[in-house]
């Protein structure tokens, strides 16, 4: 099962190919996507992305995780979160969201089992 292409990104809006939903923040993995609701884990810009935000995607068997920190990179990614991914044998890429989406789509097009979490505003 391949990772779905992110079809479009603009401030506050993301579309995933094959999905009718428009996301503000989203999670993607081989075979699917859904809204990334920060309230589920109590996430905020600081301290940022927590392992709990990534567990669902990790369980899908991804080999690489791409994290989009927002258009202005306001979303933090603590070293403990990067360590969590590395301990699970997952490569991690942390970038500004537009660059993160480009990287994710490149990896997905190559057939890499890639997942991602993307913040589409600040």
């Amino acid at each position: 099962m391949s990772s779905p292409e992110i079809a479009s990104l603009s401030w506050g809006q993301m579309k995933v190919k094959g999905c009718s939903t428009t996301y503000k923040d989203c999670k993607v993995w081989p075979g699917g996507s859904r809204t990334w609701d920060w309230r589920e884990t109590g996430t905020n810009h600081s301290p940022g992305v927590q392992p709990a935000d990534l567990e669902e995607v990790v369980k899908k068997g991804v080999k690489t995780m791409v994290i989009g920190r927002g258009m202005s990179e306001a979303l933090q990614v603590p070293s403990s979160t990067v360590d969590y991914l590395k301990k699970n044998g997952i490569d991690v890429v942390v970038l500004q969201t537009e660059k993160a989406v480009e990287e994710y789509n490149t990896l997905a097009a190559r057939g890499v089992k890639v997942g991602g979490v993307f913040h589409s505003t600040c």
Side-chain angles (χ1 to χ4, degrees):
M1 199 169 297
S2 60
S3 298
E5 176 188 346
I6 295 174
S8 67
L9 167 68
S10 60
W11 185 275
Q13 296 190 341
M14 297 183 71
K15 297 282 285 175
V16 175
K17 193 172 185 178
C19 179
S20 60
T21 304
T22 299
Y23 300 114
K24 177 179 171 268
D25 299 321
C26 75
K27 298 181 178 190
V28 290
W29 59 83
S33 65
R34 78 169 184 95
T35 293
W36 178 18
D37 183 348
W38 291 15
R39 291 172 297 192
E40 292 173 358
T41 56
T43 293
N44 212 319
H45 288 102
S46 181
V49 183
Q50 303 301 304
D53 294 308
L54 307 175
E55 283 176 2
E56 176 181 14
V57 180
V58 167
K59 288 177 182 173
K60 305 291 184 181
V62 300
K63 301 295 179 210
T64 302
M65 180 78 72
V66 180
I67 301 172
R69 294 189 49 210
M71 300 302 217
S72 304
E73 299 185 88
L75 180 61
Q76 301 300 303
V77 181
S79 58
S80 57
T81 299
V82 173
D83 292 344
Y84 161 77
L85 291 167
K86 289 181 177 176
K87 283 180 187 158
N88 280 281
I90 298 168
D91 294 328
V92 58
V93 180
V94 179
L95 296 166
Q96 183 267 356
T97 296
E98 289 162 308
K99 292 182 174 101
V101 165
E102 285 178 32
E103 180 67 15
Y104 168 87
N105 280 342
T106 297
L107 292 167
R110 283 194 208 138
V112 174
K113 286 190 79 168
V114 62
V117 295
F118 301 96
H119 179 43
S120 74
T121 58
C122 46

